[in-house]
Amino acid sequence: MTAFFLWDDAAARLFAPFALTRPVGELRAGAQLIRERWERLFGVAAGGFVSAEHLEHFEEPGAPPSAVMVPSGAIIVNARCVPALDAASTLPGLRSADVMKWTCDGRLAALRAPHDLSAHALRELESLEELVAPRSTSSVDPLAAKLPGRWLAAPWDLIASLDLQLLEDVTALAGELDRVARPSHALVMGDHPVVLERGAVVEPLVLLDATSGPILIRRGAVVAALTRLVGPCIVGEGSSVLGGRIASAAIGERCKVHGEVSHAVLVGHSNKAHDGFLGHSYLGRWVNLGAGTITSNLKNTYGPVSLWTPLGMRETGQQFLGTMFGDHSRTAIGTLLSTGTVLGAGANVFGTGMPPRAVEPFAWGHGDPSKVYELERFLVVAERVMARRGVTLGERARRQFAAAYARRAESSGR
């Protein structure tokens, strides 16, 4: 299969607070990262990504590099399209060399580059349709394939579609994993599948509630005693669920989760290891929630939630929406977060009172807008945190954080 490249269009580059520190393809949509979903579809690793210039040094295990050029014939993918995990198996023609473009829900999701394209030229595009040659009366429409999946119009769509996404994903993955039998010492409820990948550990006194959806526990994951895991739910490789009620959650790799969690996504390497409610929220990588951190996910008027974006406050249309936690953000013990809060990347939130609904990137505390987390101090802490999970903060990643730090003002909610 020809190499493919993920492209963040102008809308994707506004996915605050995440777009400051990662391309949209490295966000988790249900069971897998968006980039991993496209790799599964095409059967090859991504060749690179094209996003905002400040992400040119983005570096993370498994992620492709920022591309300078996309060669003619390579596939360009709109990263806001989330393909179904079973697409390749149910529609094998999607990988055909004859297919020139792929549509999803009537919109162009991917196409083969008609000629060499620089990253700069791709950033100038409004949509991939601009690369499609206009048809003449005698021309033949290039072969197109219809792709099952959904589109992300805004970052909160990753929460709004979570239940359905997890239901589809666990069903698609269940039949292909090296799985083991349900543990006899755990109580299982409901008729949906409960899938344990070989190497997963479920301790006694665990309730696996598959009444509303399936449950998938990946290899190396541990579900501790006195946990109620409610489907649809996935616990990623090497993650630990340490007690409490965890419902409708997509927990990425190497996370620690405890307490009450409902409708939440953890991209990976994040900690919510203590009591406190996390609802309808999205955590980037390396987020740490202090003990007793509580997110509100419902207004006391029961009305729709608005959220800060780089273009100003927007109505989300969602009745339930908690907090968007940027990469490497952290909260102190007892932190209370309002409905529809955005914590910028690198923010260290502490102090008395409730933080504002938009906390700027690399904030230090939450009361004085002039207080900023010093970059070198941030990098020292990030290096320590990542080392605990066996991950090195490389020089490219340091340069990328420096670039993000320099752009923090325009990514601020202040």
Side-chain angles (χ1 to χ4, degrees):
M1 187 71 189
T2 307
F4 76 94
F5 294 78
L6 291 137
W7 171 65
D8 285 356
D9 63 8
R13 298 197 294 270
L14 294 175
F15 271 34
F18 314 109
L20 183 64
T21 50
R22 68 180 48 252
V24 165
E26 298 304 314
L27 290 176
R28 181 172 301 279
Q32 292 190 335
L33 304 180
I34 296 172
R35 184 250 308 163
E36 292 173 334
R37 303 179 79 93
W38 282 98
E39 289 177 334
R40 177 185 174 94
L41 174 69
F42 289 136
V44 295
F49 72 89
V50 176
S51 187
E53 291 185 36
H54 72 269
L55 291 174
E56 65 175 327
H57 297 299
F58 177 80
E59 182 181 58
E60 213 166 67
S66 175
V68 176
M69 181 74 66
V70 174
S72 176
I75 300 171
I76 306 170
V77 166
N78 189 323
R80 290 194 297 111
C81 180
V82 180
L85 288 186
D86 62 357
S89 59
T90 57
L91 299 168
L94 291 173
R95 295 181 180 178
S96 170
D98 296 327
V99 177
M100 301 303 293
K101 60 182 181 179
W102 292 258
T103 62
C104 178
D105 196 23
R107 300 165 58 188
L108 186 60
L111 85 167
R112 297 185 188 274
H115 48 77
D116 291 350
L117 287 161
S118 68
H120 175 75
L122 285 169
R123 291 187 191 103
E124 296 297 311
L125 294 179
E126 292 293 328
S127 69
L128 291 180
E129 279 80 358
E130 296 178 44
L131 298 176
V132 178
R135 294 180 59 189
S136 66
T137 56
S138 60
S139 67
V140 177
D141 192 30
L143 184 60
K146 292 184 178 180
L147 180 66
R150 55 180 52 86
W151 287 87
L152 302 174
W156 52 84
D157 289 339
L158 291 159
I159 298 297
S161 62
L162 182 59
D163 272 7
L164 183 56
Q165 192 72 72
L166 285 173
L167 180 64
E168 295 172 359
D169 290 353
V170 176
T171 302
L173 292 171
E176 62 187 50
L177 299 176
D178 182 12
R179 54 199 289 185
V180 296
R182 295 177 177 180
S184 58
H185 55 260
L187 178 61
V188 178
M189 297 172 54
D191 298 326
H192 287 279
V194 174
V195 180
L196 273 69
E197 191 173 10
R198 188 172 300 279
V201 175
V202 174
E203 295 181 352
L205 302 180
V206 169
L207 172 58
L208 302 173
D209 184 352
T211 304
S212 299
I215 296 171
L216 172 60
I217 305 172
R218 300 300 304 266
R219 61 187 178 186
V222 176
V223 182
L226 304 181
T227 297
R228 179 173 185 153
L229 209 58
V230 183
C233 188
I234 179 170
V235 181
E237 295 182 12
S239 285
S240 299
V241 180
L242 306 171
R245 183 181 185 274
I246 315 299
S248 299
I251 301 171
E253 74 277 7
R254 306 294 299 279
C255 294
K256 291 184 179 180
V257 179
H258 177 270
E260 186 181 2
V261 175
S262 177
H263 295 85
V265 179
L266 289 74
V267 175
H269 298 92
S270 288
N271 289 340
K272 185 215 173 293
H274 305 283
D275 286 334
F277 175 63
L278 178 68
H280 291 82
S281 297
Y282 197 102
L283 280 68
R285 287 198 187 273
W286 307 108
V287 175
N288 188 79
L289 305 187
T293 294
I294 295 175
T295 63
S296 171
N297 64 341
L298 176 66
K299 295 170 65 174
N300 57 14
T301 63
Y302 286 62
V305 180
S306 60
L307 197 76
W308 178 87
T309 75
L311 298 180
M313 296 297 292
R314 278 187 58 187
E315 290 291 341
T316 67
Q318 302 300 309
Q319 186 179 35
F320 292 90
L321 189 62
T323 296
M324 300 289 180
F325 295 87
D327 293 334
H328 288 273
S329 60
R330 57 197 67 250
T331 62
I333 59 172
T335 301
L336 304 179
L337 298 167
S338 298
T339 312
T341 292
V342 176
L343 294 191
N348 195 325
V349 178
F350 59 88
T352 59
M354 187 174 285
R357 291 182 56 203
V359 177
E360 64 183 85
F362 301 98
W364 182 255
H366 60 70
D368 186 348
S370 67
K371 291 185 178 180
V372 179
Y373 205 165
E374 296 176 4
L375 178 59
E376 289 305 316
R377 190 174 182 182
F378 164 80
L379 291 173
V380 167
V381 174
E383 185 175 35
R384 289 175 186 160
V385 170
M386 296 170 70
R388 295 180 66 202
R389 296 285 197 277
V391 179
T392 300
L393 180 65
E395 288 305 315
R396 286 182 59 84
R398 290 173 183 272
R399 290 197 293 271
Q400 190 266 309
F401 280 122
Y405 191 86
R407 292 175 61 91
R408 69 186 184 277
E410 61 192 85
S411 302
S412 169
R414 298 283 185 182

